[in-house]
Amino acid sequence: MADAMSRRNFVRLGGVAAAGMGAVSLLAGCGNSPNAGSTTIKLGMLGPFTGDVAQYGTACRNGVELYFEQNPKIGDYTVDLDEQDEKGDATEAVNVYNKMAEDGVAGIIGDVTSTPTIAVAQASANDNLPCVTPSATAADVIAYGSNTFRACVTDPFQGKVMADFASQQGWGTVGTIFNSGDDYSTGVNQAFCDEASARGITVATQQGYSAGDVDFNGQLTTIISAKVDAIFCPNYYSDDGKIITQARQQGYAGPIFGVDGWDGIASGNYASADDLQGCYYCCSFVATNSDAKVQQFVSDYKAKFGDGPTNFCALGYDAAMVLACGIASALDAGAKPSDKDFPDKVVSTIASNEVEGVTGTISYKGTGDPDKSTLIVSFATDGSTNVYSTISAD
């Protein structure tokens, strides 16, 4: 991107909505249709588009852009999407939020990672400005006000899901390896261990490592020597790919499993297809899911960007849908963006809506956490992903 702080306007003519699955989701799912004589509604999208975690921000941004390309209007209003780069920094994220609020955005998609999102949630609570994060999984994200929602499942939910999965698989003894300096990894690891204990699973050892480490052989030797049935790795794919490879090199042939940070592990040089056999992770979205809605999204995404979408792309798309449908419902009820209480009405309609996203059906039952299912993902012999099973929200 030539200008990291650029603003992109998605302006379309008349009442024309782009063809594709996204347009159907908004117009049919929200009960709203574009009309002539529209004005503009400004929305914000903030995330890390440069810096160490830019790959997650740009993926979410791509999903958001696709959604509003397919759905350029909400009711009579043409969407003016203001995209701002917070560079992965919480202070910068608050600065961006304050600028967007001053500019009069009707709602914000973002932030993307947990620490900046928590900062934005704290800053936005008094304004009650609706914010929908695609992908911030830390439990505290929604703790500061009813205006913050997420499209993704939480760290505690993922830890619990994978402990339940381990129990179902009959893995009685497990070792874990996690980034001890990362909130995401430590949070999921703790949730997993708590649920594993409740399920009667023995966590033989918990091995931490530091950010930037590339040699995990010491931790793996300890875990493997404990004669575990499986190894839990709740980290990001760049680390877990190395962990899987080194575990196989040590002769460990048993199951290795993780959470949504694994998305993308089969691409590039993170882990070979052979080494990924017997591995599993939970995630809301995989591009190989045969669901017709998912395959339409994959086709639309490839047509626009050239490459296939990741989980973060799909979550960006769904976060945009959640916000747009909330605004559409408020407009349908007679609210106007110029109304002083318009943000309050959008927050209320998001909380009561249900949308059919590409990552599943999303609704909110009294909190900003979505009530939605997730997938257990396995790997085919060529390294491609398969949907192993679907886990309901209950």
Side-chain angles (χ1 to χ4, degrees):
M1 182 170 62
D3 180 2
M5 296 294 287
S6 68
R7 176 170 162 180
R8 303 186 181 187
N9 299 325
F10 293 88
V11 180
R12 299 293 182 267
L13 298 174
V16 178
M21 173 268 301
V24 174
S25 297
L26 177 57
L27 303 182
C30 298
N32 207 1
S33 59
N35 299 300
S38 67
T39 55
T40 298
I41 190 166
K42 183 180 290 186
L43 303 179
M45 198 276 157
L46 76 154
F49 308 142
T50 59
D52 292 342
V53 291
Q55 66 269 36
Y56 306 117
T58 54
C60 289
R61 183 183 65 190
N62 286 353
V64 172
E65 289 183 358
L66 176 61
Y67 183 82
F68 287 117
E69 181 177 276
Q70 295 177 333
N71 301 276
K73 299 182 65 136
I74 305 176
D76 290 340
Y77 296 87
T78 300
V79 172
D80 176 359
L81 183 63
D82 182 7
E83 298 177 342
Q84 298 287 338
D85 179 16
E86 45 79 331
K87 305 176 182 68
D89 180 78
T91 300
E92 187 66 22
V94 173
N95 291 339
V96 169
Y97 166 77
N98 287 334
K99 181 180 184 300
M100 287 182 171
E102 290 172 4
D103 288 345
V105 298
I108 290 175
I109 303 148
D111 207 318
V112 170
T113 57
S114 288
T115 300
T117 303
I118 288 171
V120 170
Q122 292 170 329
S124 65
N126 287 338
D127 300 331
N128 205 37
L129 186 65
C131 298
V132 184
T133 171
S135 52
T137 56
D140 286 352
V141 161
I142 65 161
Y144 304 98
S146 61
N147 64 302
T148 298
F149 302 86
R150 63 177 128 216
C152 59
V153 296
T154 66
D155 293 344
F157 179 77
Q158 292 189 86
K160 180 181 183 300
V161 162
M162 295 317 287
D164 293 347
F165 178 69
S167 177
Q168 293 164 8
Q169 297 299 305
W171 302 334
T173 304
V174 174
T176 75
I177 178 168
F178 63 100
N179 182 343
S180 57
D182 177 67
D183 290 342
Y184 167 73
S185 300
T186 56
V188 177
N189 184 75
Q190 187 60 58
F192 171 83
C193 291
D194 290 346
E195 181 68 14
S197 176
R199 289 277 184 171
I201 297 171
T202 299
V203 179
T205 180
Q206 301 179 53
Q207 294 291 307
Y209 66 87
S210 299
D213 285 354
V214 296
D215 185 347
F216 306 100
N217 282 291
Q219 293 94 333
L220 289 168
T221 297
T222 301
I223 293 171
I224 294 168
S225 66
K227 301 188 183 304
V228 298
D229 297 318
I231 300 173
F232 183 54
C233 305
N235 314 294
Y236 290 106
Y237 61 86
S238 54
D239 286 351
D240 284 329
K242 297 181 182 73
I243 290 169
I244 292 166
T245 299
Q246 290 171 28
R248 300 306 191 210
Q249 288 171 345
Q250 287 199 28
Y252 177 76
I256 304 174
F257 61 117
V259 287
D260 63 0
W262 278 39
D263 186 48
I265 200 169
S267 63
N269 298 312
Y270 299 105
S272 71
D274 287 344
D275 289 345
L276 287 168
Q277 300 311 297
C279 292
Y280 307 87
Y281 69 100
C282 67
C283 195
S284 297
F285 171 89
V286 289
T288 53
N289 189 341
S290 61
D291 180 85
K293 183 167 69 268
V294 171
Q295 288 307 304
Q296 183 63 59
F297 170 73
V298 171
S299 176
D300 293 344
Y301 188 94
K302 286 181 177 178
K304 179 173 176 60
F305 296 105
D307 296 325
T310 67
N311 183 46
F312 285 87
C313 306
L315 288 169
Y317 189 95
D318 280 0
M321 186 186 302
V322 167
L323 178 59
C325 286
I327 293 171
S329 295
L331 294 173
D332 280 348
K336 297 179 180 179
S338 58
D339 295 342
K340 186 176 181 180
D341 63 349
F342 188 70
D344 300 338
K345 292 179 179 178
V346 175
V347 167
S348 178
T349 54
I350 291 174
S352 60
N353 271 354
E354 180 175 284
V355 300
E356 293 295 331
V358 295
T359 65
T361 302
I362 301 173
S363 62
Y364 300 93
K365 296 183 177 179
T367 75
D369 285 337
D371 187 66
K372 65 184 293 189
S373 61
T374 195
L375 307 173
I376 302 294
V377 180
S378 61
F379 297 90
T381 55
D382 63 356
S384 61
T385 53
N386 292 322
V387 176
Y388 183 84
S389 63
T390 300
I391 308 297
S392 69
D394 298 329

